[in-house]
Structure formats: C-alpha cells, structure tokens
Amino acid sequence: MKSRVLAALIGAFLVPTAYAGLLPVSRTVDAQTVVYLTQIITPDTMDMSAKRFFALVESEAPEINIIIDSPGGVNYIMWAVIKGIDTYKNNGGVVNCYITNLAASAAAEIFLGCTNRYATKNAKFMIHDPAVHVVFARITAEIAKQLYEGLSEEKAKIRNRNYEILGLDNKSAIDLLMDEEKVVSAEEFNEAMKAEVITVLDSLVIQ
C-alpha cells in the first residue's frame, strides 16, 4: 500500500515537472521515415521531398517525420503539401514535424498542419500573410486588381485555417503575429497561444 502511494506521489510530481521543462525532452526518429524540407519551397526543390513523401505513403508507413528548416516559398506548392499531409492523416497516418532552425511563411503553414509539432531549442517560427513580388515595373490596372483580389482571398484562406487549427480564442494573438511578421521561438509562440502547440525538444536524434 505504501509503495503504491509513494509511486502515485512521485508520478504526480514528475508529470507536471516534465511539462514545466525541468526534465529533458528528446525524440529519436527512424531515418527511414524522414522527409526533409530544408530549402526554399519551389517546384524544383520540393521534387525529391514530394517523391519521398508519397513513397512513404504508398509503403503504408504508420508515421512520417518531416524535418523543416525553410524560410518558406511558393504558396501553391505549400497547398499541395498540406493536401498530401491532410489526406495521409485522414487515412489514419501520423505526421510528426520538427523545426530544427526555422519554419517561416509557407513552411510554417505546413508545420501547423502536422499531427504532432516539435522544435529544437533556439528554433524560430513565423507566420504572415501571403505576398506577391512584382518583378517588372509596369503592370496594367486590370492585372493589379486581379493580383489584389487573389491576394485577399489567399490571405483570408490562410488566416481562417490558422484560426481553425489554433482556435478562435487565439484570433487576436494570431492576427498580431501575422500582421507584425514577428519571428518567435517555440516557447514564445506557445505563450501567445496559451497552450503547448509546439513541444520543445532538448535533443532530436535521427538514426
């Protein structure tokens, strides 16, 4: 009886202590289940990553681990990746995502859609509205209007998705982060969301 009570007391102490960050949190990942997203997201750079992802899906791997270190990239590629992740999750798969340095812009949106989200210490995170970079000096009023309308729709789509994932209670905090394009640590993001959205790791081992 005494031993059970002692075990319960130890458990009651250790569990919240671990969540408070006083105990090391580590993850070991099977290299055979890893997909790397570690460049600017473009059709060319995502080619090998996409092939790797869908090869794991076809092999019926129970989980896929995505390693992220990217400043973002092209939105339509981002949506294609998100669709692939959502489909895999809806069929019972688990997608673990890890920020090892930076997940910003499109990379951050991919990260938010994962089943489980992790970040190594000192990793950074940034969400913002989509942008169009015009590389030529003169555009017609009609093209400018189309760009503006398309951008407004994309902005609403991304914001609404973030509200859905992170909760409408966090709408003000989400809007502030996106408006300011503020680069934050995982701990700062969790604090803003008032929840452990991202688990901070002391170590990540891929073997």
Side-chain angles (χ1 to χ4, degrees), residues 4-203:
R4 287 200 296 271
V5 171
L6 181 60
L9 288 171
I10 292 171
F13 173 75
L14 286 180
V15 171
T17 302
Y19 281 109
L22 298 180
L23 292 179
V25 181
S26 63
R27 292 272 297 176
T28 300
V29 175
D30 181 358
Q32 299 301 312
T33 66
V34 168
V35 176
Y36 288 94
L37 200 167
T38 53
Q39 299 182 68
I40 295 174
I41 299 167
T42 69
D44 290 337
T45 60
M46 285 301 296
D47 184 55
M48 290 302 296
S49 297
K51 287 177 180 176
R52 174 69 175 157
F53 179 85
F54 288 111
L56 287 169
V57 170
E58 289 176 7
S59 72
E60 299 184 350
E63 70 173 26
I64 294 173
N65 295 283
I66 302 178
I67 307 299
I68 300 175
D69 179 9
S70 171
V74 181
N75 268 32
Y76 77 87
I77 301 295
M78 173 195 80
W79 287 118
V81 175
I82 288 171
K83 183 177 180 181
I85 289 173
D86 286 347
T87 301
Y88 179 72
K89 285 165 53 183
N90 290 339
N91 285 306
V94 172
V95 181
N96 304 307
C97 283
Y98 306 82
I99 308 173
T100 57
N101 180 46
L102 173 68
S105 188
E109 296 301 331
I110 290 169
F111 176 77
L112 285 178
C114 296
T115 313
N116 301 302
R117 310 175 197 96
Y118 302 93
T120 57
K121 284 190 177 297
N122 302 316
K124 300 296 181 181
F125 182 79
M126 189 272 280
I127 51 177
H128 70 162
D129 288 320
V132 172
H133 301 285
V134 179
V135 294
F136 42 91
R138 299 173 64 183
I139 60 173
T140 65
E142 182 61 30
I143 291 175
K145 180 184 176 185
Q146 291 173 3
L147 286 173
Y148 177 79
E149 290 175 349
L151 210 57
S152 296
E153 291 174 4
E154 187 76 352
K155 173 182 174 179
K157 185 177 179 181
I158 290 173
R159 291 221 179 197
N160 288 334
R161 177 176 180 270
N162 288 345
Y163 301 151
E164 181 180 350
I165 291 172
L166 299 168
L168 272 174
D169 290 346
N170 291 314
K171 183 178 184 298
S172 296
I174 294 165
D175 287 342
L176 184 63
L177 287 169
M178 295 187 75
D179 289 341
E180 294 186 349
E181 300 189 350
K182 190 174 181 181
V183 179
V184 296
S185 67
E187 293 95 332
E188 289 170 329
F189 188 76
N190 288 342
E191 185 177 348
M193 296 300 111
K194 300 182 178 65
E196 191 182 35
V197 177
I198 305 171
T199 300
V200 181
L201 300 176
D202 292 281
S203 66

